[in-house]
């Protein structure tokens, strides 16, 4: 098998698939000498056979031989080659992957070669659970020798799909298990430079500051990260990821949030640009509910009169604005309005 | 507002077992889940009796293995995903007694790891999806005592993120599908106090985009499947009113193939049974007229769940 794009995915068209293989000239298993001793095992459709599936002859025959070696539990080099053929036809078939691992184990196969094979299969199957699981199994067997290859592999996947959930999970596993933390914050920065809206990269950034043995943890990194958020928000204040990240930096430490002049600065910066910035208003609302005393320039940025604006009045005003600006979530803002604390009630 | 073409969707689902195209071939290994999606949709629409119960149950039983687990089809390996689908199908049919529940429970309990997480099968992939499958399945079988539920709940809680959402393992990005699994597992396992309901509720309602549809992560396209993942999570934390229900209803209805039946991910795309189920389930949560209400945690019609836990001749609920 030479083509790296030859496996059919769910979205794949059958015709296309046949075309891609034409150059390769498939030899039916029934005509291959090395398979002469095996009796193919046809599919068992159960006691109430439904309408027979219109498999291509190639698909049917490959599966029939696969069922035969599975029944025999034959863990041989030719079995390994056959699982490869089945995977090329349908990479989602998890039973084939299971059996392939048994064969790889029994034959003590070269797992670096296996990584290359996975890479070829993965190219058109980046969202396939089986492939990623198999990749992890292989990397785990290889241990720290696989660290660099795995970081490179995921990076390659991100160049095509920077939000690929499986790849990010794999990368986090690599960092935790095999290491490679040193360059990870820069890596996150690189991906965010490419796409500041990439929520996966923001999540990874949080993962790094929280877990990297080389950094100071969320609290230690806070000041630097607020600055990072500020710059990202300045690019587009409607980007929810940096706002959530910013709130995350203060999770469980409301006191520090209220005291942080840097956070108030971001809010002011954005409200001076637009009074309708939903995330700035939301965060200001949080602060006010926590007892924050708004300075005059912040009150002014909302067009309010500084002398008659208590924190309560300001919070009420913000909720009323948000109900209009974000009409789709009017009931959410209604709930926020109801939760605004009126000091005169207490 | 358009209407749900129930008759067309019923015909579409009934036609699936006769359709033998490439997609059917490639999804043959997950037929158990396909059957669950189709049958639950039929039940919500009030047409379950039109499916061949005897044939389905006898096929399903042939997918059970010596270990007690079920595979996605005959000739495949057992997995917790398909074990849950099989148990859900038997629950729909009120046939849970045809299996040896202790055996299924034994299969699931041996998948639990030291840290409370669950592997999907003997190969050890860890994911909060499997925590949900295990907890939901054991609850339906009334065998939750067979696992360390405290640890199972703790592991799910450890996957909570700074934004209030949940990922597949600790540190994994929040994703609406994973959030459903985690909130569902916590709801069934008695651990909902671990959820920051207001923070998560806002994250979830921010998933609604202009078209009315819901996406699964920030900056992603809306997809009918999130009508289920997001909305069921919101229902479980009592925050479903935070989204615009009429706009979501319209989005789902716009994804119907009104000529041939079935529902797609987005308007004018090709339909499949997965999105048909999620569309109908979403509408059921939105109390669409003519659909049975669905339970947001068990992903089964409410009357099915009630029959299991509240039938007077049966045992007391274990959830």
């Amino acid at each position: 098998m030479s083509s790296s794009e030859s496996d059919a995915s769910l979205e794949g068209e059958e015709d296309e698939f046949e075309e891609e293989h034409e150059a390769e000239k498939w030899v039916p298993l029934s005509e291959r000498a090395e398979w002469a001793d095996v009796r193919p095992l046809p599919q068992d459709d159960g006691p109430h056979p439904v309408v027979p599936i219109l498999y291509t002859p190639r698909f049917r025959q490959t599966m029939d031989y696969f069922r035969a070696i599975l029944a025999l539990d034959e863990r041989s080099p030719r079995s390994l080659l056959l699982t490869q053929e089945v995977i090329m036809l349908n990479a989602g078939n998890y039973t084939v992957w299971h059996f392939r691992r048994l064969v790889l184990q029994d034959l003590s196969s070269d797992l670096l070669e296996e990584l290359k094979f996975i890479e070829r299969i993965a190219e058109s199957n980046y969202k396939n659970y089986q492939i990623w699981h198999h990749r992890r199994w292989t990397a785990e067997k290889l241990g720290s020798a696989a660290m660099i290859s795995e970081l490179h592999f995921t990076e390659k996947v991100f160049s095509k799909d920077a939000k690929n959930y499986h790849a990010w999970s794999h990368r986090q596993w690599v960092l935790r298990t095999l290491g490679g933390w040193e360059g990870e914050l820069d890596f996150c920065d690189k991906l965010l430079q490419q796409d500041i809206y990439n929520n996966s990269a923001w999540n990874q950034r949080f993962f790094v500051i929280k877990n990297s043995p080389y950094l100071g943890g969320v609290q230690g990194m806070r000041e630097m990260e607020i600055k990072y958020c500020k710059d990202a928000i300045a690019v587009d204040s409607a980007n929810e990821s940096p706002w959530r990240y910013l709130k995350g930096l203060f999770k469980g430490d409301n006191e520090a949030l209220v005291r942080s002049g840097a956070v108030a600065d971001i809010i002011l910066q954005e409200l001076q640009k637009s009074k309708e910035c939903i995330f700035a208003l939301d965060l200001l609302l949080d602060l006010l509910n926590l007892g924050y005393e708004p300075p005059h320039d912040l009150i002014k940025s909302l067009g309010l009169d500084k002398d008659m604006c208590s924190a309560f009045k300001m919070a009420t005003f913000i909720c009323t604005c948000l109900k209009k600006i974000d009409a789709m979530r009017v009931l959410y803002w209604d709930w926020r309005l109801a939760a605004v604390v009126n000091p005169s009630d207490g | 507002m358009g209407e749900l073409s129930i008759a067309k969707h019923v015909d579409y689902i009934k036609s699936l077992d006769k359709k033998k195209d490439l997609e059917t071939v490639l999804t043959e290994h997950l037929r158990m889940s396909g059957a669950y999606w189709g049958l639950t949709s039929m039940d919500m629409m009030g047409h379950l009796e039109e499916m061949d119960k005897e044939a389905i149950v006898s096929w399903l039983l042939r997918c059970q293995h010596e270990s007690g687990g079920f595979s996605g089809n005959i000739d495949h390996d057992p997995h917790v995903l398909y074990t849950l689908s099989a148990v859900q199908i038997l629950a729909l049919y009120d046939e849970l007694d045809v299996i040896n529940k202790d055996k299924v429970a034994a299969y699931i309990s041996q998948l639990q790891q030291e840290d409370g997480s669950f592997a999907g099968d003997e190969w050890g992939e860890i994911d909060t999806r499997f925590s949900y499958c295990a907890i939901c399945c054991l609850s339906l079988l009334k065998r939750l005592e067979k696992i360390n539920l405290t640890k199972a709940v703790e592991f799910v809680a450890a996957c909570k993120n700074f934004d209030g959402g949940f990922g597949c393992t600790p540190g994994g990005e929040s994703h609406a599908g994973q959030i459903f699994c985690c909130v569902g597992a916590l709801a069934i396992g008695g651990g909902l106090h671990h959820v920051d309901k207001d923070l998560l509720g806002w994250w979830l309602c921010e998933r609604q985009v202009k078209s009315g549809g819901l996406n699964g992560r920030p900056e992603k396209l809306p997809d009918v499947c999130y009508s289920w993942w997001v909305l069921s999570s919101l229902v479980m934390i009592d925050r479903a009113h935070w989204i615009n229900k009429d706009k979501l209803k319209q989005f789902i209805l716009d994804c119907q193939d009104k000529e041939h039946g079935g529902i797609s991910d987005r308007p004018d795309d090709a339909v499949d049974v997965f999105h048909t189920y999620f569309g109908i389930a979403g509408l059921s949560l939105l109390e669409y007229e003519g659909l049975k209400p669905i339970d947001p945690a068990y992903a089964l019609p409410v009357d099915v769940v009630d029959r299991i836990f509240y039938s007077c001749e049966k045992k007391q609920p274990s959830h």
Side-chain angles (χ1 to χ4, degrees):
Chain A
M1 291 271 167
S2 57
S3 167
S4 56
E5 294 162 329
S6 55
D7 54 319
S9 71
L10 272 181
E11 293 86 31
E13 293 293 326
E14 199 160 355
D15 294 343
E16 215 174 289
F17 159 75
E18 289 295 345
E19 237 167 71
E20 278 172 10
H21 278 263
E22 236 170 16
E24 207 179 293
K25 262 294 172 230
W26 179 67
V27 180
L29 283 134
S30 54
E31 290 167 22
R32 297 185 210 171
E34 70 270 29
W35 288 102
D37 62 310
V38 173
R39 232 179 105 188
L41 199 60
Q43 167 144 19
D44 177 356
D45 275 327
H48 302 270
V50 283
V51 183
I53 296 179
L54 300 170
Y55 295 116
T56 62
R58 176 177 183 170
F59 191 96
R60 188 205 311 273
Q61 204 185 81
T62 310
M63 287 308 292
D64 289 352
Y65 276 85
F66 173 67
R67 262 179 233 107
I69 56 150
L70 196 61
L72 294 166
D73 195 15
E74 181 191 300
R75 304 180 191 182
S76 62
R78 72 173 178 182
S79 296
L80 193 66
L81 288 171
L82 186 61
T83 58
Q84 187 166 323
E85 290 193 41
V86 176
I87 286 165
M88 295 291 205
L89 291 168
N90 181 9
N93 184 329
Y94 65 99
T95 296
V96 181
W97 287 104
H98 284 191
F99 186 65
R100 184 171 176 88
R101 285 192 281 276
L102 292 174
V103 179
L104 285 167
Q105 253 170 346
D106 272 29
L107 300 182
S108 308
S109 303
D110 179 0
L111 295 179
L112 290 171
E113 280 305 309
E114 189 64 7
L115 290 182
K116 286 183 201 157
F117 166 67
I118 300 165
E119 205 149 335
R120 290 208 307 279
I121 291 292
E123 273 188 28
S124 48
N125 281 289
Y126 284 135
K127 290 192 175 176
N128 174 308
Y129 279 101
Q130 283 73 35
I131 290 175
W132 285 100
H133 180 48
H134 190 71
R135 182 88 191 183
R136 178 165 321 180
W137 178 84
T138 311
E140 199 163 19
K141 293 257 165 212
L142 284 165
S144 52
M147 190 252 279
I148 301 287
S149 74
E150 295 319 281
L151 293 178
H152 283 166
F153 177 63
T154 48
E155 188 169 357
K156 203 171 143 193
V157 176
F158 297 141
S159 69
K160 288 177 184 153
D161 174 10
K163 298 176 186 176
N164 185 294
Y165 202 91
H166 305 279
W168 283 109
S169 290
H170 189 71
R171 194 169 176 99
Q172 290 192 348
W173 173 81
V174 172
L175 291 167
R176 279 213 164 108
T177 320
L178 311 175
W181 291 101
E182 299 85 337
E184 197 62 10
L185 197 63
D186 288 342
F187 179 72
C188 294
D189 180 50
K190 188 169 103 183
L191 288 200
L192 287 172
Q193 300 263 0
Q194 285 162 13
D195 176 12
I196 199 70
Y197 299 96
N198 184 346
N199 192 62
S200 307
W202 281 102
N203 183 72
Q204 182 74 354
R205 191 169 178 101
F206 203 90
F207 176 79
V208 175
I209 63 164
K210 191 175 167 193
N211 298 298
S212 168
Y214 301 101
L215 301 171
V218 175
Q219 215 178 326
M221 295 292 287
R222 204 182 264 160
E223 284 310 311
M224 204 181 108
E225 293 305 284
I226 294 172
K227 170 83 178 70
Y228 197 81
C229 291
K230 186 178 179 168
D231 293 345
I233 289 167
V235 175
D236 179 3
S237 64
N239 181 3
E240 74 175 271
S241 300
W243 288 102
R244 291 194 191 283
Y245 186 94
L246 182 62
K247 275 198 193 190
L249 293 172
F250 290 94
K251 204 163 183 216
D253 195 354
N254 284 336
E255 220 173 287
L257 178 63
V258 176
R259 272 190 286 107
S260 168
V263 170
D265 278 350
I266 297 178
I267 296 172
L268 182 66
Q269 163 191 290
E270 295 312 320
L271 289 180
Q272 280 173 343
K273 277 192 242 167
S274 162
K275 279 191 277 187
E276 300 205 334
C277 175
I278 295 174
F279 294 106
L281 291 170
D282 165 74
L283 187 54
L284 180 53
L285 190 57
D286 280 352
L287 290 177
L288 292 169
N289 284 338
L290 292 168
Y292 174 69
E293 294 288 341
H296 288 173
D297 48 357
L298 200 52
I299 296 170
K300 230 176 84 188
S301 74
L302 288 176
L304 297 170
D305 180 352
K306 65 180 166 48
D307 294 325
M308 48 187 300
C309 198
S310 66
F312 170 71
K313 277 188 188 159
M314 192 171 184
T316 308
F317 174 79
I318 290 171
C319 289
T320 316
C321 293
L322 282 165
K323 281 171 68 173
K324 284 187 212 126
I325 303 166
D326 191 22
M328 184 130 72
R329 279 164 279 273
V330 64
L331 292 175
Y332 171 71
W333 299 114
D334 258 339
W335 172 80
R336 292 291 303 263
L337 177 62
V340 172
V341 189
N342 187 348
S344 62
D345 288 349
Chain B
M1 186 176 285
E3 280 185 14
L4 182 67
S5 311
I6 290 187
K8 295 281 185 189
H9 300 319
V10 167
D11 286 346
Y12 166 71
I13 291 169
K14 281 160 79 177
S15 76
L16 285 174
D17 217 32
K18 300 182 187 80
K19 225 173 94 191
K20 298 300 163 193
D21 52 10
L22 180 69
E23 188 182 314
T24 319
V25 173
L26 294 177
T27 56
E28 176 245 356
H29 60 279
L30 51 81
R31 192 166 173 229
M32 190 67 79
S33 293
Y36 157 74
W37 294 323
L39 295 168
T40 309
S41 302
M42 289 297 269
D43 198 14
M44 283 186 282
M45 295 189 288
H47 289 262
L48 184 60
E49 74 288 347
E50 288 168 41
M51 305 299 278
D52 187 346
K53 173 177 170 179
E54 204 185 310
I56 291 164
V57 173
S58 88
W59 162 77
L60 178 148
L61 290 174
R62 295 190 62 205
C63 296
Q64 191 176 19
H65 294 249
E66 211 25 63
S67 61
F70 287 81
S71 48
N73 206 341
I74 296 166
D75 286 336
H76 286 272
D77 292 323
H79 194 286
V80 74
L81 286 168
Y82 308 117
T83 303
L84 173 61
S85 293
V87 166
Q88 284 170 317
I89 291 169
L90 292 173
L92 282 176
Y93 278 131
D94 198 12
E95 291 290 356
L96 282 171
D97 291 334
V98 304
I99 46 168
N100 179 339
K101 294 176 189 167
D102 288 322
K103 219 175 153 184
V104 182
Y107 170 75
I108 292 174
S109 68
Q110 52 90 28
L111 293 173
Q112 190 171 30
Q113 313 293 302
E114 264 306 298
D115 62 0
S117 67
F118 282 85
D121 60 17
E122 59 173 308
W123 293 99
E125 185 188 5
I126 302 294
D127 190 319
T128 44
R129 288 184 303 143
F130 309 146
S131 298
Y132 169 75
C133 291
I135 291 173
C136 182
C137 193
L138 288 178
S139 174
L140 291 170
L141 296 171
K142 299 180 182 171
R143 296 289 188 281
L144 270 176
E145 75 281 1
K146 301 286 183 194
I147 52 166
N148 186 332
L149 187 60
T150 311
K151 276 193 149 188
V153 163
E154 277 169 11
F155 178 78
V156 174
C159 296
K160 184 167 71 176
N161 287 319
F162 62 90
D163 54 17
F166 292 83
C168 67
T169 47
E173 185 187 1
S174 296
H175 179 291
Q178 301 291 153
I179 291 171
F180 161 79
C181 292
C182 293
V183 175
L186 294 174
I188 296 171
L192 269 185
H193 57 280
H194 288 291
V195 180
D196 293 336
K197 292 182 185 167
D198 297 336
L199 186 63
L200 175 61
W202 191 45
W203 190 92
L204 288 168
C205 76
E206 275 286 311
R207 305 281 56 80
Q208 189 164 33
V209 300
K210 282 206 178 80
S211 64
L214 302 164
N215 63 20
R217 286 186 274 168
E219 299 294 325
K220 299 283 263 183
L221 290 172
D223 183 316
V224 158
C225 71
Y226 297 115
S227 310
W228 169 257
W229 307 124
V230 172
L231 192 53
S232 60
S233 303
L234 281 167
V235 173
M236 285 188 273
I237 60 170
D238 306 316
R239 304 287 188 276
H241 57 288
W242 285 359
I243 60 158
N244 187 318
K245 292 185 178 181
D246 285 339
K247 288 196 97 172
L248 176 58
K249 206 179 276 180
Q250 189 59 58
F251 176 79
I252 301 172
L253 292 172
D254 287 345
C255 293
Q256 298 180 93
D257 180 337
K258 291 202 149 180
E259 206 177 321
H260 307 102
I263 298 175
S264 55
D265 56 354
R266 280 179 282 283
D268 303 322
D269 280 358
V271 303
D272 59 59
V273 67
F274 176 84
H275 288 94
T276 303
Y277 161 74
F278 287 113
I280 292 172
L283 289 172
S284 165
L285 287 176
L286 292 165
E287 295 165 9
Y288 192 91
E289 205 184 327
L291 294 178
K292 273 195 195 181
I294 189 163
D295 184 281
Y298 290 98
L300 286 168
V302 169
D303 63 342
V304 171
V305 176
D306 284 351
R307 185 170 63 209
I308 293 169
F309 295 112
Y310 301 110
S311 291
C312 33
E313 72 269 31
K314 289 186 179 168
K315 278 189 287 179
Q316 281 301 300
S318 59
H319 77 307

